[in-house]
Structures are given as structure tokens and as C-alpha cells.
Amino acid sequence: MAEMAETTRTLDPAGAAPTADPADLPAAAPHRVPAPSAGVGELRERIDRIDAQLADLLERRALLAADVQRLKPVGGFAGRDPERERALVAAMAERAPRLGAARLARIMAGVIEAGLEAAEEERAAR
Ligand SMILES: C=C(O[C@@H]1C=C(C(=O)O)C=C[C@H]1O)C(=O)O
């Protein structure tokens, strides 16, 4: 049901099927694609494309996190679940060894707090 809700809020206004869920994929191969001739401009273009994907994923994640807040007995910042947050960081660290758990924990704290903040704003506006 939550899955359906997320799908109906697909980011593509044309209604194309959502892209494959990266979480369903095996851990990524090392990201060092040899690019001996790539200059700063090309490398930045690659970064921009990844950032666009990250933005889409972060938006989808925030929508799902807001769905969870609505289902929890205590939602929002008051219902924060450090054990769950540690577990998702540990799982991510398996896929992103260069960043590692400590750095990913910092990144994900920001991501999680942004999602909770957006959900609280939405709730207050209703
Ligand atoms: C979404 C939840 O609520 C909070 C937000 C989380 C997240 O954005 O991943 C994780 C744990 C909770 O602090 C949840 O409990 O799963």
C-alpha cells in the first residue's frame, strides 16, 4: 500500500514506470571507471548526472519516510529510531566502503533530518 502510494507519486509527470530500485541491485562494482582522457568538464558532467539521480532518490526517500511517520504511533523527531538509523547506515557502508560507516552516518543524519522536517512541515500545513 505504501509502495503504491509512492508509485502514484512518481516523479515523472508522463507516468513512466519508476526506474529500477537500486536497493534491489547487487552491491555496485567499484566506481573507478578508467577515464584517462576525461577533463574537469566531463567529470563534472558525470557528477551532475549522478546528482540528478541522487535528488530523485532523495525525494522518493523523503516521501516514503513521511509515509512511515504517518503509520508510527509517535512520528516525527519524537519518534526517531536510532537503532534503525544505525542499521541502515551499516547496510549502506557495505555498498560504499570508500565512504564508510562514520561518514555515511553524517550524511544520513542530514538526509533523515531533512525528511523528518519536510514531513513535519507538511503535517503542520494540513
Ligand atoms: C522512517 C522512519 O522514521 C525515522 C526516519 C528514518 C529514515 O528516514 O530512514 C529512520 C528511522 C527514524 O528515525 C522509520 O522509523 O523507519
Side-chain angles (χ1 to χ4, degrees):
M1 192 64 196
E3 189 58 38
M4 249 182 83
E6 197 243 346
T7 305
T8 56
R9 288 177 295 181
T10 179
L11 297 162
D12 181 351
T19 51
D21 187 339
D24 295 336
L25 302 172
H31 299 288
R32 283 217 169 274
V33 180
S37 61
V40 169
E42 184 186 330
L43 293 171
R44 283 185 175 169
E45 277 174 23
R46 288 190 204 175
I47 289 174
D48 290 346
R49 282 198 291 275
I50 288 175
D51 286 348
Q53 291 179 313
L54 272 175
D56 287 350
L57 290 172
L58 287 169
E59 185 72 5
R60 283 171 58 189
R61 189 189 196 287
L63 289 167
L64 288 169
D67 286 345
V68 173
Q69 302 320 309
R70 282 188 280 275
L71 295 174
K72 279 165 57 163
V74 180
F77 284 89
R80 215 159 160 182
D81 182 343
E83 200 176 318
R84 163 74 182 153
E85 292 184 22
R86 270 193 295 278
L88 69 84
V89 165
M92 290 176 78
E94 298 271 319
R95 303 175 71 98
R98 183 177 177 85
L99 290 174
R103 280 185 281 263
L104 283 166
R106 294 204 303 270
I107 293 168
M108 292 312 295
V111 168
I112 289 166
E113 284 161 19
L116 291 172
E117 202 178 291
E120 293 209 336
E121 270 177 29
E122 182 185 49
R123 195 163 49 100
R126 267 188 280 127

